[in-house]
């Protein structure tokens, strides 16, 4: 396929199993470039054998970072990283639920002038290798308990995802990458939303007043309706996108196997299923929805086959629209190059993948050595539908030596470490098996 090269980060295979699969690899994560950095450094970035990047929108408005300081988001240099914003939703590349102008006020739509610069960024470049870029956004809701029955809130959410889809379409991207994880207030758990779980949370809280007298079936039906509206908003701007989720049906099915829960309505992620059903109903025939299965580390054939089964077989049995599910849902896999199985047990090292256990100078000693990465990717490409998402925090594909630094001294994550060429070769070898 012209312009395609083996690479690193998100692998899509759109058809078939084995040789002859179409493979697309893109980069995603906190160290992905924003739209401005991507635009200004496209020629250099495209030296990396990738097919694209899940980029962050460079918002033109100041925001408050996690320390509470008001900072300029859109720098002249661009950013080679996501800017952590804490409780500030003005960075439109990070969350659409809700959007606010400098503080959490769930009443604001993303105005056209806040996405226009990002569209211009992407439109200013004629991408060659990077013909499969995505816009990265979060559904994380940090400002208030989720009310699925609030029509005005959901009108705004749909407006905002439509704005993200507009950037993707007009910027020549292939689709949207969505992180549905509840980083604060829950969206997907009926017991947590209704405050009937029996558990106490300092975050991920609900509001029982929103759901007084409402059964799970009633909430499920409303969530399905919101899924239809959400997909319709995307398709109003982008008729044939790939909508990728870090996790979706596979996690809900996996949780159903937990002995604590005996029904999907009791799990922490169960409401993602009616939301997906609604998206399937409300989207065009050309829309593809990918479940990247990032709830597990899938390295062995049996594990990968289990993950595929969770999505394709068991997820299908729980769908109310099985024909649409079978037509539009795809299986992907998610990996982090800097992973280490002990990172969360080692004090001060594991949070958010900042483990010092990944050492670019000693690739053979890393959990993912080049050889293990190659083997894992070959399995993932064979067993999955060709979508493999690399979500890296410490390992940064954009740095290829210990001396590498971002162009124009653009900000990057302090934890970033370079990636040896052996890993590029491992990706190349895995991909060549499907040419």
């Amino acid at each position: 396929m012209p312009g395609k090269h083996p690479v690193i980060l998100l692998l899509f295979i759109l058809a078939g199993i084995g040789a002859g699969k179409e493979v697309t690899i893109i980069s995603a994560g906190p160290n992905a470039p924003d739209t401005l950095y991507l635009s200004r450094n496209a020629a250099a970035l495209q030296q990396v054998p990738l097919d694209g990047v899940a980029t962050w929108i460079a918002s033109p408005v100041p925001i408050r970072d996690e320390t509470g300081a008001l900072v300029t988001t859109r720098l002249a240099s661009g950013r080679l990283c996501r800017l952590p914003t804490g409780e500030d939703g003005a960075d439109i590349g990070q969350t659409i639920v809700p959007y606010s102008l400098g503080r959490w006020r769930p009443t604001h739509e993303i105005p056209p002038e806040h996405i226009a610069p990002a569209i211009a960024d992407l439109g200013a470049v004629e991408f060659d290798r990077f013909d499969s870029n995505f816009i990265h956004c979060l559904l994380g809701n940090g400002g208030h308990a989720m009310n699925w029955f609030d029509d005005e809130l959901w009108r705004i959410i749909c407006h905002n995802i439509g704005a993200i889809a507009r950037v993707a379409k007009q910027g020549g991207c292939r689709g949207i990458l969505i992180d549905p994880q509840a980083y604060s207030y829950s969206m997907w758990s009926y017991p947590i939303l209704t405050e009937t779980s029996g558990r106490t949370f300092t975050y991920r809280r609900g509001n029982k007043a929103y759901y007084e007298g409402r059964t799970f079936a009633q909430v499920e039906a409303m969530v399905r309706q919101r899924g239809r509206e959400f997909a319709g908003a995307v398709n109003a701007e982008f008729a044939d996108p790939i909508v990728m989720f870090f996790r979706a049906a596979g996690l809900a099915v996996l949780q159903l196997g937990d002995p604590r829960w005996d029904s999907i309505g009791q799990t922490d992620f169960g409401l993602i299923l009616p939301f997906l059903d609604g998206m399937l109903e409300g989207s065009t025939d050309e829309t593809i929805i990918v479940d990247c299965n990032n709830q597990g580390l899938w390295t062995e054939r049996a594990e990968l086959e289990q993950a595929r089964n969770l999505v394709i077989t068991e997820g299908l049995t729980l769908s109310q629209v099985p024909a649409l599910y079978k037509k539009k849902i795809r299986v992907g896999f998610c990996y982090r190059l800097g992973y280490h199985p002990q990172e969360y047990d080692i004090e001060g090292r594991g949070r958010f993948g900042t483990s010092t256990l990944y050492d670019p100078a000693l690739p053979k000693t890393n959990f993912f050595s080049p050889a293990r990465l190659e083997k894992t990717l070959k399995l993932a490409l064979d067993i999955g539908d060709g979508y493999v998402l690399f979500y890296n925090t410490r390992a940064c594909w954009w740095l290829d030596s210990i001396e590498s630094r971002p162009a124009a001294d653009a900000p990057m994550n302090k934890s970033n470490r370079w990636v040896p060429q052996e890993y590029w070769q491992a990706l190349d070898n895995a991909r060549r098996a499907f040419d």
Side-chain angles (χ1 to χ4, degrees), residues 148-161:
W148 289 96
F149 291 85
D150 186 332
D151 290 337
E152 177 62 10
L153 173 62
W154 275 90
R155 183 192 67 77
I156 294 168
I157 291 171
C158 289
H159 168 92
N160 290 348
I161 193 60

Side-chain angles (χ1 to χ4, degrees), residues 24 62 71 77 79 89 106 108 117 130-131 141 179 207 235 251 255 264 323 338 346 400 432:
T24 304
V71 297
S77 62
R79 293 178 180 271
H108 288 89
F130 286 9
D131 60 0
N141 175 24
D179 185 351
N207 187 330
N235 286 151
L251 177 57
Q255 289 181 346
I264 204 69
I346 299 175
D400 61 4
R432 285 182 185 278

